[in-house]
Amino acid sequence: MIDLQQIHKTFGAFTALDHVSLSIPRGRMVALLGPSGSGKTTLLRIIAGLEHADGGIIRLDGQDATDLSARDRRIGFVFQHYALFRHMTVADNVAFGLKVRPRDSRPSKDEIRERVSTLLKLVHLDGLAGRYPTQLSGGQRQRVALARALAVEPRLLLLDEPFGALDAQVRKDLRRWMRRLHDDMGLTSVFVTHDQEEALELADDVVVMSHGRIEQIGTPADIYDNPATPFVYQFLGNATRLAATVQGGTAHLNGWQIPATAPDGAAVAFIRPHDWTLEDAAAGANATLRHASVLGSSLRLDVTLEDGQDIEVDIRRDAGQAVPAAGSALRLTPNRVAVFPATA
Amino acid sequence: MSKRSLRDHSATRLSLVALTVVIVLLFLLLPLAQVLQQAFAKGPAVFWHSLQGEDPLAAIRLTLLVAAISVPLNLVFGLAASWAITKFDFPGKSLLVSLIDLPFSVSPVISGLIYVLLFGAHGFLGPWLIEHNLKIIFAVPGIVLATVFVTFPFVARELIPLMEEQGREEEEAALVLGASGWRTFWSVTLPNVKWALLYGVLLCNARAMGEFGAVSVVSGHVRGLTNTMPLHVEILYNEYDFVGAFAVASVLALLALVTLGIKSAVEWWHRDELAATRRH
Ligand SMILES: Nc1ncnc2c1ncn2[C@@H]1O[C@H](COP(=O)(O)OP(=O)(O)O)[C@@H](O)[C@H]1O
Ligand SMILES: [Mg+2]
């Protein structure tokens, strides 16, 4: 169990982490998701002990580790650019963490060789033990970095943009494999990413960060279904942002009245494209179709609301169903709407 | 068309190679041959004889001694300075970086004079040194100090850009894996810069043996005591003992060739590793 409380970090006048608190239970895979510059790497480095927080407490398995040296934390770190020891072979890279142990806890030479060969098999690199890092592909280097970090049996594995430097196909394969490895080995891991798809697909818990603050923590379903802030809505993408007005607990938007907790005044509403119902326009139209396109089993409608705002609507399409013509009048009702104060 | 541009290419290459060879012959090998020719102008017997005296031998010994002290010192200084500058943040860092270049930006004669002003009989520390019967100027310690000063930048200048480029991540990786700072230095930092370190040391050594200006100011030119090889060459030359001057000069040149030979041998010995770890 890793516990962070009120971690604060500034670089000069710039606040990189603003009182961040986070708990990571054993066995979980957690994604730190946020745009570039949101403080993800800094948080990872503070957990590893490579950077010292200005304030806050770090507890590892119940022990206060705030002032514990990175050396003694037993945390595995896979650097964004892998940071393999360039003058060492793959085998020596993987063996390093074992070789530098103090004499009384250091495995014998044979045991180390055994462990290295097991780990290299695990990451499918047996046969490349004698290569130098420059003689490997990006994906292979990444797996060497992983094997090197796992060699010391870390209580926590940290990965900084582990798939960032790889091309699309390798990336997809590697992340599925990574998830299986996590489960098979019973690891606890935190990985950094700015790719929401990666975070939602891979993680048990997603921590969304922005400007050094945590915007939301939740399971991928939580995060997707109930984004806590406008930022999370926007960062996860796939939601239309609309202007609305709140009065006495009700948001007014294009003639709809939606219950809202935001205070009176200007507000923003987020609606996902698949959260609309298309009704019979005879009951009164409230939108105009600009363009319709068929996307396999769904129909993508580009629509202008009566109040002038543009939205995207995805609805299920039955085979053979007619595609509405551009310019036709529609009657739409939103199923799920999130309303936030406009300033937030 | 592609054939033609290929031919143009090889024509360019050929003329560049030819130019380089001419320059090397004209400015490097010819003077070296000239030194040897002058040294042997009156036959090998005279050559040998002129190296046999007390003074030339003392000059050779002193030069080797000065290099043997100042090169290891500057190896350690240069390595420590580069390590501190590239792997840690501290106030005054940029000042330190520009100070390292100081010996290159002032004339060696001025460097020598600084030591005279500091340690000379009428210098800042002069009276105190005389009181304690310590002799630095016009003695071996002064020559060593001046040489250390003048050759200080060579190692650091080789290492700093390389270590800057390599960054700190490998050291951080070692730390997270449980290595001590000392262990990290020996197993990660040092192996990553060992070739640059070797070149820096070779340059440092060449200059330490060849330095004239700064050493000339602090030496006092006492024959057999404070004359290094370059100083001795000058004295003999001024006395019209050309064979003697060029004989000592050729020994100096030979020492340089030996250093080059050592470098090539080390590189050849480690050729596999060099090929594998050199970036593509
Ligand atoms: N050593 C440093 N010195 C100054 N600013 C830094 C340093 N490290 C990070 N920062 C700043 O902190 C912010 C967060 O950086 P980082 O944690 O790397 O973000 P992320 O990994 O989310 O892209 C960035 O604006 C970055 O410029
Ligand atoms: Mg980052």
Side-chain angles (χ1 to χ4, degrees), chain B residues 70-91:
Chain B
S70 49
V71 171
L73 275 181
N74 273 336
L75 188 155
V76 174
F77 289 163
L79 199 51
S82 319
W83 195 32
I85 284 168
T86 55
K87 309 286 172 178
F88 301 97
D89 290 314
F90 54 90

PDB file of all heavy atoms in Angstrom, chain B residues 70-91:
ATOM      1  N   SER B  70      51.388  16.453 -12.394  1.00  0.00           N
ATOM      2  CA  SER B  70      50.263  17.312 -12.767  1.00  0.00           C
ATOM      3  C   SER B  70      49.172  16.565 -13.538  1.00  0.00           C
ATOM      4  O   SER B  70      47.997  16.904 -13.411  1.00  0.00           O
ATOM      5  CB  SER B  70      50.748  18.538 -13.543  1.00  0.00           C
ATOM      6  OG  SER B  70      51.617  18.155 -14.573  1.00  0.00           O
ATOM      7  N   VAL B  71      49.528  15.557 -14.316  1.00  0.00           N
ATOM      8  CA  VAL B  71      48.485  14.851 -15.068  1.00  0.00           C
ATOM      9  C   VAL B  71      47.519  14.103 -14.135  1.00  0.00           C
ATOM     10  O   VAL B  71      46.307  14.272 -14.241  1.00  0.00           O
ATOM     11  CB  VAL B  71      49.099  13.935 -16.145  1.00  0.00           C
ATOM     12  CG1 VAL B  71      48.039  13.043 -16.761  1.00  0.00           C
ATOM     13  CG2 VAL B  71      49.782  14.761 -17.212  1.00  0.00           C
ATOM     14  N   PRO B  72      48.008  13.293 -13.175  1.00  0.00           N
ATOM     15  CA  PRO B  72      47.059  12.652 -12.255  1.00  0.00           C
ATOM     16  C   PRO B  72      46.237  13.663 -11.462  1.00  0.00           C
ATOM     17  O   PRO B  72      45.034  13.461 -11.265  1.00  0.00           O
ATOM     18  CB  PRO B  72      47.953  11.836 -11.325  1.00  0.00           C
ATOM     19  CG  PRO B  72      49.205  11.625 -12.080  1.00  0.00           C
ATOM     20  CD  PRO B  72      49.388  12.835 -12.941  1.00  0.00           C
ATOM     21  N   LEU B  73      46.891  14.753 -11.030  1.00  0.00           N
ATOM     22  CA  LEU B  73      46.134  15.767 -10.286  1.00  0.00           C
ATOM     23  C   LEU B  73      44.996  16.315 -11.136  1.00  0.00           C
ATOM     24  O   LEU B  73      43.857  16.415 -10.688  1.00  0.00           O
ATOM     25  CB  LEU B  73      47.057  16.922  -9.885  1.00  0.00           C
ATOM     26  CG  LEU B  73      47.849  16.763  -8.597  1.00  0.00           C
ATOM     27  CD1 LEU B  73      48.691  18.015  -8.347  1.00  0.00           C
ATOM     28  CD2 LEU B  73      46.902  16.532  -7.428  1.00  0.00           C
ATOM     29  N   ASN B  74      45.305  16.652 -12.386  1.00  0.00           N
ATOM     30  CA  ASN B  74      44.273  17.226 -13.244  1.00  0.00           C
ATOM     31  C   ASN B  74      43.246  16.200 -13.687  1.00  0.00           C
ATOM     32  O   ASN B  74      42.111  16.544 -13.996  1.00  0.00           O
ATOM     33  CB  ASN B  74      44.903  17.913 -14.450  1.00  0.00           C
ATOM     34  CG  ASN B  74      45.271  19.338 -14.120  1.00  0.00           C
ATOM     35  OD1 ASN B  74      44.687  19.922 -13.202  1.00  0.00           O
ATOM     36  ND2 ASN B  74      46.234  19.884 -14.826  1.00  0.00           N
ATOM     37  N   LEU B  75      43.628  14.955 -13.719  1.00  0.00           N
ATOM     38  CA  LEU B  75      42.653  13.902 -13.994  1.00  0.00           C
ATOM     39  C   LEU B  75      41.597  13.912 -12.892  1.00  0.00           C
ATOM     40  O   LEU B  75      40.394  13.938 -13.152  1.00  0.00           O
ATOM     41  CB  LEU B  75      43.360  12.551 -14.042  1.00  0.00           C
ATOM     42  CG  LEU B  75      42.561  11.330 -14.488  1.00  0.00           C
ATOM     43  CD1 LEU B  75      43.504  10.291 -15.057  1.00  0.00           C
ATOM     44  CD2 LEU B  75      41.753  10.710 -13.380  1.00  0.00           C
ATOM     45  N   VAL B  76      42.059  13.939 -11.640  1.00  0.00           N
ATOM     46  CA  VAL B  76      41.122  13.929 -10.514  1.00  0.00           C
ATOM     47  C   VAL B  76      40.329  15.232 -10.453  1.00  0.00           C
ATOM     48  O   VAL B  76      39.093  15.214 -10.355  1.00  0.00           O
ATOM     49  CB  VAL B  76      41.880  13.678  -9.193  1.00  0.00           C
ATOM     50  CG1 VAL B  76      40.940  13.801  -8.007  1.00  0.00           C
ATOM     51  CG2 VAL B  76      42.530  12.308  -9.218  1.00  0.00           C
ATOM     52  N   PHE B  77      41.021  16.364 -10.561  1.00  0.00           N
ATOM     53  CA  PHE B  77      40.321  17.654 -10.539  1.00  0.00           C
ATOM     54  C   PHE B  77      39.278  17.723 -11.651  1.00  0.00           C
ATOM     55  O   PHE B  77      38.127  18.099 -11.426  1.00  0.00           O
ATOM     56  CB  PHE B  77      41.299  18.817 -10.775  1.00  0.00           C
ATOM     57  CG  PHE B  77      42.225  19.087  -9.628  1.00  0.00           C
ATOM     58  CD1 PHE B  77      43.369  19.857  -9.817  1.00  0.00           C
ATOM     59  CD2 PHE B  77      41.976  18.578  -8.363  1.00  0.00           C
ATOM     60  CE1 PHE B  77      44.234  20.112  -8.767  1.00  0.00           C
ATOM     61  CE2 PHE B  77      42.836  18.821  -7.311  1.00  0.00           C
ATOM     62  CZ  PHE B  77      43.973  19.593  -7.514  1.00  0.00           C
ATOM     63  N   GLY B  78      39.702  17.403 -12.849  1.00  0.00           N
ATOM     64  CA  GLY B  78      38.832  17.536 -14.017  1.00  0.00           C
ATOM     65  C   GLY B  78      37.614  16.644 -13.903  1.00  0.00           C
ATOM     66  O   GLY B  78      36.488  17.042 -14.186  1.00  0.00           O
ATOM     67  N   LEU B  79      37.838  15.420 -13.440  1.00  0.00           N
ATOM     68  CA  LEU B  79      36.743  14.470 -13.284  1.00  0.00           C
ATOM     69  C   LEU B  79      35.776  14.962 -12.212  1.00  0.00           C
ATOM     70  O   LEU B  79      34.551  14.953 -12.402  1.00  0.00           O
ATOM     71  CB  LEU B  79      37.330  13.103 -12.910  1.00  0.00           C
ATOM     72  CG  LEU B  79      36.480  11.870 -13.125  1.00  0.00           C
ATOM     73  CD1 LEU B  79      35.925  11.817 -14.538  1.00  0.00           C
ATOM     74  CD2 LEU B  79      37.318  10.626 -12.852  1.00  0.00           C
ATOM     75  N   ALA B  80      36.338  15.410 -11.088  1.00  0.00           N
ATOM     76  CA  ALA B  80      35.493  15.882  -9.984  1.00  0.00           C
ATOM     77  C   ALA B  80      34.690  17.107 -10.422  1.00  0.00           C
ATOM     78  O   ALA B  80      33.475  17.178 -10.177  1.00  0.00           O
ATOM     79  CB  ALA B  80      36.353  16.213  -8.772  1.00  0.00           C
ATOM     80  N   ALA B  81      35.347  18.044 -11.109  1.00  0.00           N
ATOM     81  CA  ALA B  81      34.650  19.265 -11.540  1.00  0.00           C
ATOM     82  C   ALA B  81      33.540  18.923 -12.524  1.00  0.00           C
ATOM     83  O   ALA B  81      32.410  19.401 -12.398  1.00  0.00           O
ATOM     84  CB  ALA B  81      35.639  20.246 -12.165  1.00  0.00           C
ATOM     85  N   SER B  82      33.840  18.049 -13.502  1.00  0.00           N
ATOM     86  CA  SER B  82      32.818  17.703 -14.498  1.00  0.00           C
ATOM     87  C   SER B  82      31.655  16.973 -13.845  1.00  0.00           C
ATOM     88  O   SER B  82      30.494  17.191 -14.184  1.00  0.00           O
ATOM     89  CB  SER B  82      33.397  16.802 -15.584  1.00  0.00           C
ATOM     90  OG  SER B  82      34.665  17.218 -15.946  1.00  0.00           O
ATOM     91  N   TRP B  83      31.970  16.118 -12.919  1.00  0.00           N
ATOM     92  CA  TRP B  83      30.927  15.356 -12.232  1.00  0.00           C
ATOM     93  C   TRP B  83      30.008  16.309 -11.477  1.00  0.00           C
ATOM     94  O   TRP B  83      28.789  16.259 -11.610  1.00  0.00           O
ATOM     95  CB  TRP B  83      31.580  14.349 -11.276  1.00  0.00           C
ATOM     96  CG  TRP B  83      30.639  13.282 -10.800  1.00  0.00           C
ATOM     97  CD1 TRP B  83      29.589  12.753 -11.492  1.00  0.00           C
ATOM     98  CD2 TRP B  83      30.673  12.631  -9.532  1.00  0.00           C
ATOM     99  NE1 TRP B  83      28.969  11.791 -10.736  1.00  0.00           N
ATOM    100  CE2 TRP B  83      29.618  11.698  -9.531  1.00  0.00           C
ATOM    101  CE3 TRP B  83      31.493  12.734  -8.410  1.00  0.00           C
ATOM    102  CZ2 TRP B  83      29.370  10.877  -8.427  1.00  0.00           C
ATOM    103  CZ3 TRP B  83      31.240  11.904  -7.328  1.00  0.00           C
ATOM    104  CH2 TRP B  83      30.191  10.991  -7.340  1.00  0.00           C
ATOM    105  N   ALA B  84      30.625  17.200 -10.708  1.00  0.00           N
ATOM    106  CA  ALA B  84      29.833  18.140  -9.914  1.00  0.00           C
ATOM    107  C   ALA B  84      28.974  19.009 -10.827  1.00  0.00           C
ATOM    108  O   ALA B  84      27.787  19.206 -10.573  1.00  0.00           O
ATOM    109  CB  ALA B  84      30.756  19.016  -9.069  1.00  0.00           C
ATOM    110  N   ILE B  85      29.579  19.492 -11.911  1.00  0.00           N
ATOM    111  CA  ILE B  85      28.875  20.446 -12.769  1.00  0.00           C
ATOM    112  C   ILE B  85      27.727  19.790 -13.528  1.00  0.00           C
ATOM    113  O   ILE B  85      26.655  20.366 -13.690  1.00  0.00           O
ATOM    114  CB  ILE B  85      29.869  21.091 -13.756  1.00  0.00           C
ATOM    115  CG1 ILE B  85      30.701  22.124 -13.009  1.00  0.00           C
ATOM    116  CG2 ILE B  85      29.149  21.730 -14.935  1.00  0.00           C
ATOM    117  CD1 ILE B  85      31.893  22.626 -13.775  1.00  0.00           C
ATOM    118  N   THR B  86      27.923  18.559 -13.982  1.00  0.00           N
ATOM    119  CA  THR B  86      26.893  17.974 -14.843  1.00  0.00           C
ATOM    120  C   THR B  86      25.879  17.131 -14.099  1.00  0.00           C
ATOM    121  O   THR B  86      24.799  16.914 -14.601  1.00  0.00           O
ATOM    122  CB  THR B  86      27.533  17.101 -15.941  1.00  0.00           C
ATOM    123  OG1 THR B  86      28.374  16.130 -15.317  1.00  0.00           O
ATOM    124  CG2 THR B  86      28.359  17.952 -16.878  1.00  0.00           C
ATOM    125  N   LYS B  87      26.200  16.657 -12.908  1.00  0.00           N
ATOM    126  CA  LYS B  87      25.260  15.747 -12.253  1.00  0.00           C
ATOM    127  C   LYS B  87      24.568  16.373 -11.050  1.00  0.00           C
ATOM    128  O   LYS B  87      23.706  15.748 -10.433  1.00  0.00           O
ATOM    129  CB  LYS B  87      25.977  14.462 -11.804  1.00  0.00           C
ATOM    130  CG  LYS B  87      26.799  13.779 -12.891  1.00  0.00           C
ATOM    131  CD  LYS B  87      25.945  13.057 -13.938  1.00  0.00           C
ATOM    132  CE  LYS B  87      26.830  12.591 -15.075  1.00  0.00           C
ATOM    133  NZ  LYS B  87      26.110  11.838 -16.100  1.00  0.00           N
ATOM    134  N   PHE B  88      24.967  17.584 -10.659  1.00  0.00           N
ATOM    135  CA  PHE B  88      24.338  18.207  -9.499  1.00  0.00           C
ATOM    136  C   PHE B  88      24.017  19.658  -9.801  1.00  0.00           C
ATOM    137  O   PHE B  88      24.605  20.265 -10.686  1.00  0.00           O
ATOM    138  CB  PHE B  88      25.262  18.137  -8.274  1.00  0.00           C
ATOM    139  CG  PHE B  88      25.636  16.740  -7.878  1.00  0.00           C
ATOM    140  CD1 PHE B  88      26.839  16.202  -8.301  1.00  0.00           C
ATOM    141  CD2 PHE B  88      24.783  15.953  -7.121  1.00  0.00           C
ATOM    142  CE1 PHE B  88      27.193  14.901  -7.965  1.00  0.00           C
ATOM    143  CE2 PHE B  88      25.124  14.654  -6.787  1.00  0.00           C
ATOM    144  CZ  PHE B  88      26.329  14.130  -7.206  1.00  0.00           C
ATOM    145  N   ASP B  89      23.055  20.205  -9.052  1.00  0.00           N
ATOM    146  CA  ASP B  89      22.752  21.625  -9.145  1.00  0.00           C
ATOM    147  C   ASP B  89      23.236  22.301  -7.880  1.00  0.00           C
ATOM    148  O   ASP B  89      23.001  21.806  -6.783  1.00  0.00           O
ATOM    149  CB  ASP B  89      21.239  21.830  -9.284  1.00  0.00           C
ATOM    150  CG  ASP B  89      20.750  21.362 -10.638  1.00  0.00           C
ATOM    151  OD1 ASP B  89      21.399  21.709 -11.631  1.00  0.00           O
ATOM    152  OD2 ASP B  89      19.736  20.638 -10.679  1.00  0.00           O
ATOM    153  N   PHE B  90      23.922  23.418  -8.024  1.00  0.00           N
ATOM    154  CA  PHE B  90      24.341  24.174  -6.853  1.00  0.00           C
ATOM    155  C   PHE B  90      24.533  25.624  -7.259  1.00  0.00           C
ATOM    156  O   PHE B  90      24.757  25.932  -8.433  1.00  0.00           O
ATOM    157  CB  PHE B  90      25.626  23.595  -6.251  1.00  0.00           C
ATOM    158  CG  PHE B  90      26.756  23.460  -7.246  1.00  0.00           C
ATOM    159  CD1 PHE B  90      27.660  24.493  -7.455  1.00  0.00           C
ATOM    160  CD2 PHE B  90      26.900  22.281  -7.982  1.00  0.00           C
ATOM    161  CE1 PHE B  90      28.689  24.350  -8.362  1.00  0.00           C
ATOM    162  CE2 PHE B  90      27.930  22.138  -8.901  1.00  0.00           C
ATOM    163  CZ  PHE B  90      28.830  23.185  -9.088  1.00  0.00           C
ATOM    164  N   PRO B  91      24.428  26.548  -6.293  1.00  0.00           N
ATOM    165  CA  PRO B  91      24.610  27.958  -6.631  1.00  0.00           C
ATOM    166  C   PRO B  91      26.053  28.219  -7.062  1.00  0.00           C
ATOM    167  O   PRO B  91      26.987  27.596  -6.567  1.00  0.00           O
ATOM    168  CB  PRO B  91      24.270  28.687  -5.327  1.00  0.00           C
ATOM    169  CG  PRO B  91      24.309  27.652  -4.256  1.00  0.00           C
ATOM    170  CD  PRO B  91      24.062  26.336  -4.882  1.00  0.00           C
TER     171      PRO B  91
END
